[in-house]
Amino acid sequence: MSINAAPPRKTPPGRWVPWLVIGLWLALAAVMVPLSGKLSSVTKDRAVDALPASAESTKVAALEDGLPGGEDNTFVFVYHRASGVSDADRAAVERHYNTFAKRYPPKVAPPAGEHDEGPPAQRSKDGKAIMFALNVSTTYGDPSELIGPLRDTAKDRPAGLDLDVTGPAAIDADMDAIYDGIDVQVLLTTVVVVALLLILTYRSPVLWFVPLMAVGAAALTAMATVYLLVKGFGIVINSQNSALLTILVFGVGTDYALLLIARYREALHHHENVRVAMAHALRGAAPAIVASAATVVAGLLCLLVADLNETRGLGPIGAAGILCALVAMLTLFPAVLVVLGRRIFWPAIPRFSATVVEQKLGLWGGLGAAISRRRWVATLASLGVLGALVFGLSGNTSILREQDQFLSAPESVTGFTVLRQHFPELGGQPMTIYTRPAYQERVLNVVKDIPGVAQAIPGETRGGWVDISVFPKDAPDTAAEYDTIKRVRTAVHAVNGAEAIVGGPSAEHLDTDVTTSRDQKLVIPLVLGVILIILGLLLRAVVAPLVLMVTVIVSFAAAFGGSVFVFDTILGFKGVDYSVPLLAFMFLVALGVDYNIFLASRAREETARLGTREGMLKALSATGGVITSAGLVLAATFAVLVSLPMVMLIELGFLVAFGVLLDALLVRSVLVPALTLLIGRRIWWPSRLSRPVAGPPIARHTLADEEEPALQR
């Protein structure tokens, strides 16, 4: 069977237009590329930077920054010997402490005679360890700058005396070491992965380079744009969000390229002039691509209502990345394709023909026919698989502790384990209380009697405030330690006139957990509502958007459940990072709706010509290959995060990659078509497509239409 090709346009677009577009992008690159390299200079990775100004631990950090000498970096030195510490060991510890005290003197000199009995070191009850805490002002440098000299100085010690440098600042330093250079690592790995997938997809020695070049230009432009947003509007960006920006632009941009190339290759068979073919390809693909980008951007901008700075910052950061990818793939990418002509597809160059032989049924056409015959089986089987995966949520979904974030435990983490072994009463990270000096004794007396508090030590008086270090008995970032922090806050707030506030690393994590929980309850319904409205406007229906939204939500729950099973049972992770559920929801819901938009918009287009049943089957046949390829590319780009040595990034990368594959291969390929065929034309209610047609046109009169069941009619 053959159909006549569409007549060529009489006035194809001007030859100069593609060259003008390329020239404008080269001019833009000259400005943006230098700025893109500055993005890493504005990232902020401290836990307190992620919190809103209203959080109590943020108030403590802000107060410390404003006091003479600034904030402290707290390091904890734990010396231990299996046979018990000796007098020579004690002398070495004292020598180290005195060296540190001279190198990093306290911000306020202690009263005369306060340290006459030696350094404030404690010996464990079992006699096998000695520890002391060292507070170093931030004026001497960041933790990553201090940790090396501290560890080097402490190497001079008796043989057999082991040392672990731990504490909040040491953990920050070890985490900074992992994030150092992460942007370059993610960028290079992503480029390699996307290049390999494009080569495998197109089996062409040259075609793969064009989308990769265009996406790379979009990524550099996005990085420069985000840098300007951070400098101009004070948006908070951390290394994690910077890496996600690269992943998002490459994944989404490559998806857009795959969709446009599929339409362009099809148009080249019908149009001899490549500029006319590209114009037809853009008219066919651009509406769905723009709608997809608008959906993701709208969903990301919903994050602006979040309280957590790093979550709120991801909204405009991600939106800027999506918009840069959209503009690049609808301007630069088609311009380069047009300039290079048909030969870019070599060796499988699409040839123009006055008559084009209609393609055979193919893999996706065969799948559609099978689903049409067994639509109930397809629906129930799909829901059964998704339901089984949801049961994985019964695994360990507790919040991942900071010490468990590392894939391979560094010295700062192993040091906490040693500290708890020999000093079980000092197992938690110290809280910091600031209060007015006149109320110091009252606050101290109140805190010492609180269950879960091991000891409270008064500190320095400066700038009208005095600090108190409070050591909880329980391990850091546990429910028991958080309960102790809550009790301490309640007790000190009740001391009238003290103006006491409680902060510290674990208090920051508690505030982060509370803020994240509040953000999830606010952001998730808002995102669902916004995306549902966009789907309704795009499809001009009510039922179809509701069906698509339900499938995406079920898909997310299944992906989350399956991933938790892998994290808990196979990988042995000790929980799920607090940020993973909301971030994964954002990416999977927004990007999952993307694929449904590509399928549903094509189905609506074909329904107007062929009817609901044939329209969906035609859409599945036409988009199945390209959307599956896009899903594989997007999953692979997020899977790049699995190669990084941070549990949080591994969890997010695996969850999103698994969810994208689940959505592309099962939900979009089987469940959505099956539900559409079950519901029939009512899927488009209340648009005119939902109303019966008195006399179907010849284009709709096929054997398949005659077999259409009464439910669909």
Side-chain angles (χ1 to χ4, degrees):
M1 179 180 177
S2 64
I3 57 174
N4 291 328
R9 286 186 55 174
K10 295 181 180 179
T11 55
R15 294 177 181 273
W16 55 271
V17 173
W19 290 106
L20 175 62
V21 171
I22 294 173
L24 290 174
W25 269 96
L26 289 175
L28 181 65
V31 177
M32 292 302 214
V33 170
L35 294 176
S36 65
K38 297 181 179 181
L39 182 59
S40 60
S41 66
V42 294
T43 57
K44 298 179 180 179
D45 292 314
R46 296 189 309 165
V48 71
D49 290 325
L51 288 166
S54 58
E56 188 166 343
S57 54
T58 308
K59 295 177 181 178
V60 170
L63 178 60
E64 286 181 325
D65 286 339
L67 291 175
E71 189 180 356
D72 277 337
N73 292 308
T74 302
F75 298 91
V76 178
F77 291 72
V78 186
Y79 300 80
H80 51 100
R81 185 189 291 273
S83 59
V85 293
S86 63
D87 291 339
D89 295 337
R90 292 179 61 87
V93 173
E94 183 173 348
R95 184 176 67 255
H96 290 168
Y97 180 83
N98 290 333
T99 300
F100 295 143
K102 291 178 181 178
R103 185 183 302 173
Y104 310 109
K107 291 168 288 192
V108 178
E114 183 174 305
H115 294 319
D116 291 347
E117 297 181 1
Q122 297 186 45
R123 186 172 181 174
S124 63
K125 294 179 181 178
D126 61 11
K128 298 181 180 180
I130 303 175
M131 63 81 68
F132 66 81
L134 180 70
N135 293 321
V136 182
S137 172
T138 52
T139 57
Y140 294 105
D142 295 328
S144 57
E145 299 170 327
L146 296 169
I147 191 67
L150 290 175
R151 286 171 172 162
D152 289 341
T153 300
K155 286 181 179 178
D156 178 23
R157 58 183 186 272
L161 179 63
D162 295 320
L163 167 65
D164 289 299
V165 181
T166 183
I171 289 180
D172 288 344
D174 287 335
M175 193 166 290
D176 287 343
I178 289 178
Y179 278 117
D180 186 32
I182 192 175
D183 287 346
V184 176
Q185 181 181 351
V186 168
L187 178 60
L188 293 178
T189 307
T190 304
V191 168
V192 171
V193 168
V194 171
L196 289 175
L197 288 171
L198 288 173
I199 292 172
L200 292 173
T201 299
Y202 292 121
R203 295 183 292 277
S204 168
V206 288
L207 179 58
W208 64 272
F209 182 73
V210 181
L212 187 63
M213 176 273 301
V215 175
L220 292 175
T221 305
M223 293 167 67
T225 303
V226 170
Y227 170 76
L228 294 175
L229 289 174
V230 172
K231 296 295 289 185
F233 298 96
I235 297 171
V236 175
I237 180 172
N238 56 16
S239 298
Q240 166 192 305
N241 286 352
S242 179
L244 289 177
L245 173 66
T246 301
I247 295 289
L248 195 60
V249 173
F250 268 86
V252 171
T254 306
D255 278 4
Y256 297 162
L258 291 170
L259 291 165
L260 184 58
I261 285 180
R263 285 277 187 155
Y264 181 48
R265 187 195 293 270
E266 181 182 336
L268 285 172
H269 288 295
H270 296 271
H271 304 279
E272 187 173 10
N273 188 292
V274 293
R275 298 192 303 279
V276 175
M278 180 56 72
H280 277 269
L282 285 171
R283 279 200 297 271
I289 292 175
V290 171
S292 164
T295 303
V296 180
V297 168
L300 286 168
L301 291 180
C302 290
L303 293 175
L304 288 171
V305 304
D307 284 335
L308 204 64
N309 288 334
E310 65 179 16
T311 302
R312 185 170 63 251
L314 183 60
I317 290 169
I322 296 295
L323 290 176
C324 288
L326 174 69
V327 173
M329 304 321 288
L330 292 184
T331 57
L332 176 63
F333 180 54
V336 175
L337 285 177
V338 167
V339 167
L340 295 176
R342 295 175 185 269
R343 60 186 178 273
I344 194 64
F345 289 94
W346 185 86
I349 300 176
R351 303 296 181 183
F352 166 72
S353 175
T355 59
V356 180
V357 178
E358 194 167 289
Q359 297 295 319
K360 296 181 179 180
L361 196 60
L363 172 64
W364 296 100
L367 176 62
I371 294 172
S372 179
R373 290 192 300 268
R374 299 286 187 272
R375 58 195 70 180
W376 274 111
V377 173
T379 301
L380 295 177
S382 301
L383 293 175
V385 171
L386 296 173
L389 289 172
V390 171
F391 280 111
L393 291 173
S394 60
N396 182 17
T397 56
S398 58
I399 300 298
L400 191 72
R401 301 187 309 163
E402 184 180 39
Q403 291 84 352
D404 298 325
Q405 283 277 8
F406 301 92
L407 195 61
S408 178
E411 180 180 329
S412 59
V413 173
T414 58
F416 259 115
T417 303
V418 174
L419 183 65
R420 281 196 57 78
Q421 288 175 350
H422 299 290
F423 299 91
E425 73 281 4
L426 298 176
Q429 298 192 78
M431 287 175 264
T432 300
I433 300 177
Y434 274 95
T435 185
R436 294 299 183 182
Y439 296 86
Q440 180 186 35
E441 289 301 321
R442 288 181 58 186
V443 172
L444 268 173
N445 292 333
V446 167
V447 171
K448 288 178 180 178
D449 294 333
I450 295 174
V453 172
Q455 59 178 281
I457 303 173
E460 303 167 343
T461 300
R462 51 194 174 117
W465 294 90
V466 62
D467 67 275
I468 301 172
S469 296
V470 180
F471 290 85
K473 296 179 180 178
D474 300 291
D477 296 328
T478 58
E481 188 200 34
Y482 286 168
D483 288 340
T484 299
I485 295 173
K486 294 174 184 177
R487 287 193 292 268
V488 169
R489 282 178 168 172
T490 300
V492 300
H493 292 168
V495 180
N496 293 328
E499 301 180 39
I501 50 177
V502 181
S506 289
E508 291 170 2
H509 302 156
L510 170 61
D511 290 341
T512 300
D513 186 20
V514 172
T515 306
T516 301
S517 178
R518 184 170 61 245
D519 287 346
Q520 288 176 354
K521 295 175 182 176
L522 181 63
V523 171
I524 289 177
L526 182 60
V527 170
L528 293 177
V530 168
I531 292 180
L532 189 61
I533 291 172
I534 292 176
L535 285 174
L537 295 174
L538 175 67
L539 300 177
R540 284 162 282 179
V542 173
V543 176
L546 289 172
V547 171
L548 295 180
M549 184 60 69
V550 169
T551 61
V552 170
I553 294 173
V554 172
S555 176
F556 168 73
F560 197 12
S563 298
V564 167
F565 175 81
V566 172
F567 300 155
D568 185 26
T569 307
I570 299 177
L571 299 179
F573 294 160
K574 298 180 180 179
V576 178
D577 185 81
Y578 70 89
S579 63
V580 166
L582 183 56
L583 291 179
F585 173 84
M586 282 299 310
F587 292 132
L588 286 180
V589 169
L591 298 175
V593 167
D594 264 11
Y595 296 139
N596 282 327
I597 285 176
F598 298 146
L599 175 65
S601 60
R602 183 64 180 262
R604 193 182 194 285
E605 175 186 335
E606 299 293 347
T607 295
R609 188 168 62 91
L610 302 173
T612 300
R613 181 180 184 279
E614 285 299 306
M616 174 52 73
L617 297 182
K618 174 67 175 178
L620 180 60
S621 177
T623 65
V626 65
I627 294 180
T628 300
S629 297
L632 291 173
V633 170
L634 187 62
T637 54
F638 271 96
V640 167
L641 296 175
V642 177
S643 66
L644 302 175
M646 288 293 293
V647 172
M648 178 269 164
L649 295 175
I650 294 173
E651 289 181 339
L652 181 62
F654 181 89
L655 175 51
V656 175
F658 177 55
V660 167
L661 290 176
L662 189 66
D663 191 81
L665 299 177
L666 179 63
V667 176
R668 190 268 315 157
S669 300
V670 179
L671 182 58
V672 170
L675 288 173
T676 301
L677 295 177
L678 280 174
I679 298 172
R681 66 170 186 271
R682 295 175 182 82
I683 193 80
W684 307 113
W685 184 87
S687 74
R688 62 179 179 80
L689 295 178
S690 65
R691 295 190 287 271
V693 180
I698 295 177
R700 293 189 61 213
H701 188 65
T702 64
L703 178 62
D705 287 320
E706 293 173 1
E707 296 173 350
E708 189 174 354
L711 176 61
Q712 184 180 340
R713 296 175 187 164

